[in-house]
Amino acid sequence: MKIGKVVGTVVSTINSEVFDARRLLLCDLLDADQEPTGDYLICVDAVDAGAGETVLILDEGNSARQIVGWETAPIRAVVVGIVDEVHLPS
Amino acid sequence: MQLGRVVGTVVATIKTPGLEGIKLLIVQPLHRDLTEKGRPVVAADGVHMAGPGELVYIVGSREAAQALPEPFVPVDHAIVGIVDAVEELS
């Protein structure tokens, strides 16, 4: 999984069915010390994450389909948690 | 998933079985700020409505095949939605 930060949402009306009635979050990817890596992902929101929150992103299809309960859904990135703290013993 | 812009189409009459009837579009992947990211890819149009110049979001690898009505079609990128708006959350 990856750590990310919610920086926006993607609004879309014409899309694959699985995205209907699901929020799409634009997340910057962060490295372990929470610095932006420069990359980003559009993720399906599974935990009602809010703006600016640090989140846990799952980026793998089978697990994503399991979460939405839809065997043939074309999705990979899902926000599966909201990060409270990250400890990095220096 | 990532953002992309449709920049062209590909017509190929001789293709492997399973690719018939699938619209192939050239998509330029974009960074979050909509600047060009990497090289264009040829993506299957999973929503059958993406036109030239449109902002879309694309998915890769196996999920691309899942975006099409006929599963397990040999494609590695697919358009799974047309973007109405990207809203930055401050």
Side-chain angles (χ1 to χ4, degrees):
Chain A
M1 289 193 265
K2 299 170 181 170
I3 298 175
K5 181 178 181 189
V6 178
V7 291
T9 59
V10 172
V11 178
S12 167
T13 42
I14 298 171
N15 47 34
S16 295
E17 276 173 83
V18 68
F19 301 117
D20 292 344
R22 283 196 167 91
R23 235 168 123 233
L24 290 179
L25 297 177
L26 195 62
C27 298
D28 273 348
L29 295 182
L30 309 178
D31 54 28
D33 51 18
Q34 302 191 48
E35 289 303 317
T37 64
D39 204 355
Y40 73 100
L41 275 174
I42 301 173
C43 311
V44 171
D45 180 16
V47 292
D48 288 334
E53 287 196 298
T54 300
V55 291
L56 199 58
I57 298 170
L58 171 81
D59 190 19
E60 191 275 322
N62 284 333
S63 322
R65 282 184 280 284
Q66 210 176 313
I67 289 172
V68 296
W70 189 318
E71 261 173 40
T72 58
I75 72 171
R76 269 174 46 159
V78 180
V79 171
V80 292
I82 296 174
V83 174
D84 299 322
E85 279 163 44
V86 174
H87 294 290
L88 279 183
S90 49
Chain B
M1 293 180 295
Q2 304 240 320
L3 296 168
R5 190 171 305 282
V6 177
V7 295
T9 61
V10 169
V11 177
T13 45
I14 296 174
K15 320 184 252 209
T16 58
L19 281 180
E20 304 89 3
I22 290 175
K23 213 162 105 186
L24 298 173
L25 297 174
I26 303 175
V27 176
Q28 168 60 58
L30 302 174
H31 286 289
R32 180 159 72 73
D33 60 7
L34 306 189
T35 54
E36 292 193 359
K37 175 181 184 186
R39 306 202 48 74
V41 296
V42 179
D45 184 0
V47 294
H48 308 298
M49 296 176 75
E54 284 202 283
L55 192 59
V56 293
Y57 45 105
I58 61 178
V59 69
S61 69
R62 181 178 168 198
E63 281 61 49
Q66 306 246 342
L68 300 172
E70 172 71 37
F72 302 120
V73 165
V75 291
D76 58 5
H77 287 90
I79 294 168
V80 285
I82 296 175
V83 176
D84 298 335
V86 177
E87 287 164 355
E88 305 270 339
L89 299 172
S90 52

